[in-house]
Every structure is written in structure tokens, then in C-alpha cells.
Amino acid sequence: METVFLGFVLMLSIFLGFELISKVPATLHTPLMSGANAISGITVVGAITLAGGELAGWATALAALAVFFATVNVVGGYMVTDRMLAMFKKKDEPEARS
Amino acid sequence: MSEELIGAAYIVSAILFIFGLKLLGSPATAVRGNQLSALGMLVAVVVTLGSHEIIDYRWIGVAAVLGAIVGVVSAQRVAMTGMPEMVALFNGSGGLASLLVGWAALDMSGGTGEGDPQSAFTVVTVLLSILIGGVTFSGSIVAWGKLSETIPSGAIRFPGQQIVSLAMLVATIGCGVAMVAQPEVWTGTLIYVVIALSVLLGVMAVIPIGGADMPVVISLLNSYSGLAACAAGLAINNTILIVAGALVGAAGIILTNIMCKAMNRSLSNVLFSGFTAAKAAT
């Protein structure tokens, strides 16, 4: 039953993801990619539950490493996206990069 | 914090991610979209820290502080022209994290954790998060290397490349089948083989693609890192990982497609460009 429920959640999320992105102006391609990348750092939540739980020593160490890398992804990802968007706003003209 | 409260907070953060992605798609609202999605992440992390499952904060604290420092410093130092490279590195970091979560989750079923000891479902989802996470990690590193010209940015090919890649993929699947069939016998040893093959597969997938196509490749790898997080979520039974990972996975595919269209090419044209060029040359 649990597996079926997770399957439904998975399927609906995928369809929603497909529908969310439609016409995106070329200037926003890189910021959108970067913003989505920051969201994929959600794996930090999984890493936290494992690193703080009562797993064996080696698994806790792996999970702690995962917390580190996922935090780099999340924090860096959101900040880099913000910087890109700030530049985009000020100059108010398309980026030089294709 | 009770399970129900955490679940409710996860729903809130999923809604914030959805609106965040939506708003990121148009110039007027993009800044707010990014902030909303960051808020969603904050909500998810804070309630997870409040979960009663977490009994020891030392490792989490050290790792999170170090990770935040690295993230902030690299995000601030990078030049505007170096943004795609930076995104590739962050993406690789996320992929590696999903790989590690999958790997660590193996202990949940085999060790003191509840649930079926190494059920087929857990083993399969762990393998998927390791495979996709590993490909994302090494593929992103190669993409970064090509963009920053740390490695030659041209397409790198050798005879029989596709056959070698295919053989490695088949070997990975073979290891997976053995691990599902007899987890007690094979998991301990074959897991290292799967990790090594996954990382190699990512390299093999990206080296035959030229440097100019790297933005599209990074976008595709970004989609993969979402799927890796999603697989990790299935392995450890965490809904927000599944939802956010699947959102990014699907949105990333669509964005990749849009980027290809902007270049007047198809996705398969980009992914196999190195090989068709080789055929045309011979």
C-alpha cells in the first residue's frame, strides 16, 4: 500500500513538473536551470534524517558527507541564481551568453 | 515534532517549490520565484531537524556549516561569465549527495532499522539513486572541465566507445539483478562495483559531446540530479524528496528540450553529436 501511495505521489509530481515549464524566454534559461538545480539539493533532507539517525558508524559518516555536498548544492545554487537574476534586472537587456 | 506536522510542513514546502519554479519562468517574477523556492527549502530543512528521528546533531551541524561556507564563498567568488560552470559543479555536488544518501540507506534495512531487511524495493531504489547520482556527479564534473577548459573542450572519441558504454550499463544492471536476487550474498561487494561503474558511465556519457553543447548537457544532468533525489526519497521513504526530485526531473527535461529548440536542434542530436560527426568523417 505504501509503495502504491508513493507511486501516485511520484506520478503526479512528474506530470506537474512537465506542466510547470512552458514558454521561457532565452535569457531565463540559465537562471531557471540554476534555480531548479538548487531545488534538487532537497536530498539534504534525506541526508539529515540519515546522519542524525541511529545507523552504523560508516553509514552515518556517508550521510554526513551527503549533508555537506547537498548543502553546497542548496546554498550555492540559490545564491548563484539570485546573483544571475540581479544582474538581469539591472541591465534589463539580454545576457551576452547564448 | 510529530509525523503529521512534518508531513504538513512538507506539503507547504512542496507548494513553495511549485510556485517558485512557475515564477522563475517569467522575467518579472523570477527573483521572487527563487526566494519562494529557497523558503520552501528552509521550511523542509527546519522541520526535518525537529523530527524525533534525529538524535544526534553533531555530524549534521559540522557538515552543514562547512557546506554552507563552501557554497557561499564559491557562489560569491564566481565571475558572471563562469556561471554555467558553477551550476555544473553545484549540480555534481547534489548528484554525489544523492549517491551517498542511497549508499547510506543500505544500512537502514540491513542494520538496526525497521522494515523489511533489504527488501527488493529498497535495493532497487538504492541502486537507482547510486546510478543516477553517480552519472550526475561525474557527468557534471566533466561538463565543468569542458566549459572551463580544464580538459579539452572538443568531443573526445575512441573506437568502440558506444559498445564500451553499453557493456558497462549491462554490467551495472547485472550487478543490480544479483543484488536484488540475493542481497545478503552480493550487496556488500557489488555495491562498490555499481558505484565505480556509475561514475565511469557519467564520464563516458559526456566526453563525446563538444564544449559548445555543455549548457544543454548541464540542463539534462540537472534533470538527472532531480531524479536521483527522487530515487533516494523512495529508498528512505521521504515524500518531499520524491515530490521535489520528480518536479526537478520533469521540469529539467522540458527546459532541456526548450534549450535544444532555441539552438534549432533535437536532444538526441546533441547527445549523439560526437558519434554522428565521427561517422560523417569516416
Side-chain angles (χ1 to χ4, degrees):
Chain A
M1 185 55 215
E2 183 80 355
T3 315
V4 175
F5 167 71
L6 293 179
F8 268 113
V9 170
L10 174 63
M11 184 198 69
L12 289 173
S13 310
I14 289 176
F15 275 103
L16 184 57
F18 280 145
E19 293 300 320
L20 267 180
I21 310 293
S22 44
K23 277 163 262 158
V24 182
T27 43
L28 277 181
H29 286 174
T30 314
L32 179 57
M33 176 170 87
S34 174
N37 169 45
I39 296 178
S40 69
I42 187 68
T43 197
V44 71
V45 165
I48 288 174
T49 44
L50 293 185
E54 35 195 12
L55 297 183
W58 63 269
T60 305
L62 288 180
L65 255 180
V67 171
F68 169 77
F69 283 112
T71 311
V72 172
N73 188 188
V74 167
V75 175
Y78 281 119
M79 283 191 66
V80 141
T81 313
D82 204 56
R83 273 190 65 193
M84 278 188 238
L85 292 171
M87 185 192 71
F88 177 69
K89 216 178 175 185
K90 268 179 218 147
K91 280 167 75 186
D92 209 24
E93 61 185 21
E95 280 176 80
R97 218 192 58 74
S98 65
Chain B
M1 223 178 286
S2 71
E3 288 277 319
E4 286 78 15
L5 214 64
I6 293 174
Y10 281 171
I11 293 175
V12 171
S13 82
I15 292 172
L16 288 169
F17 287 145
I18 291 163
F19 277 108
L21 268 178
K22 183 81 196 158
L23 295 181
L24 262 172
S26 84
T29 54
V31 174
R32 212 152 56 89
N34 193 44
Q35 287 163 351
L36 277 186
S37 125
L39 180 65
M41 187 64 76
L42 188 69
V43 169
V45 168
V46 167
V47 299
T48 309
L49 286 173
S51 157
H52 61 82
E53 277 175 52
I54 298 186
I55 46 172
D56 187 350
Y57 288 90
R58 285 170 300 174
W59 284 104
I60 300 172
V62 173
V65 168
L66 288 179
I69 292 172
V70 172
V72 168
V73 170
S74 41
Q76 280 182 338
R77 287 231 177 129
V78 62
M80 276 299 162
T81 47
M83 285 299 181
E85 282 119 284
M86 204 66 236
V87 176
L89 276 186
F90 287 149
N91 195 40
S93 185
L96 183 56
S98 293
L99 184 157
L100 292 169
V101 169
W103 191 1
L106 267 186
D107 185 55
M108 266 207 324
S109 41
T112 50
E114 313 117 54
D116 305 341
Q118 314 220 333
S119 72
F121 182 74
T122 307
V123 175
V124 168
T125 48
V126 161
L127 285 171
L128 277 176
S129 63
I130 288 177
L131 175 62
I132 307 173
V135 168
T136 308
F137 165 62
S138 58
S140 299
I141 300 296
V142 174
W144 164 79
K146 287 200 174 206
L147 277 175
S148 63
E149 312 236 328
T150 312
I151 57 174
S153 65
I156 300 169
R157 290 181 296 266
F158 55 84
Q161 195 164 5
Q162 277 170 312
I163 298 182
V164 173
S165 301
L166 194 66
M168 286 187 345
L169 188 62
V170 170
T172 313
I173 295 171
C175 290
V177 171
M179 283 170 69
V180 172
Q182 289 179 297
E184 308 81 13
V185 184
W186 293 112
T187 307
T189 44
L190 284 185
I191 189 77
Y192 299 104
V193 181
V194 170
I195 291 170
L197 283 172
S198 308
V199 172
L200 276 174
L201 270 172
V203 175
M204 293 292 285
V206 180
I207 52 168
I209 305 174
D213 286 331
M214 280 307 127
V216 175
V217 171
I218 295 171
S219 178
L220 184 69
L221 289 170
N222 172 40
S223 167
Y224 286 178
S225 76
L227 294 178
C230 181
L234 287 167
I236 64 172
N237 214 339
N238 184 311
T239 40
I240 190 66
L241 254 72
I242 300 173
V243 171
L247 275 177
V248 173
I253 287 282
I254 300 293
L255 180 63
T256 309
N257 216 358
I258 292 176
M259 286 170 81
C260 285
K261 272 189 194 146
M263 292 166 41
N264 261 328
R265 307 185 50 186
S266 72
L267 185 55
S268 66
N269 190 305
V270 170
L271 290 184
F272 300 108
S273 57
F275 297 109
T276 42
K279 264 179 208 154
T282 49

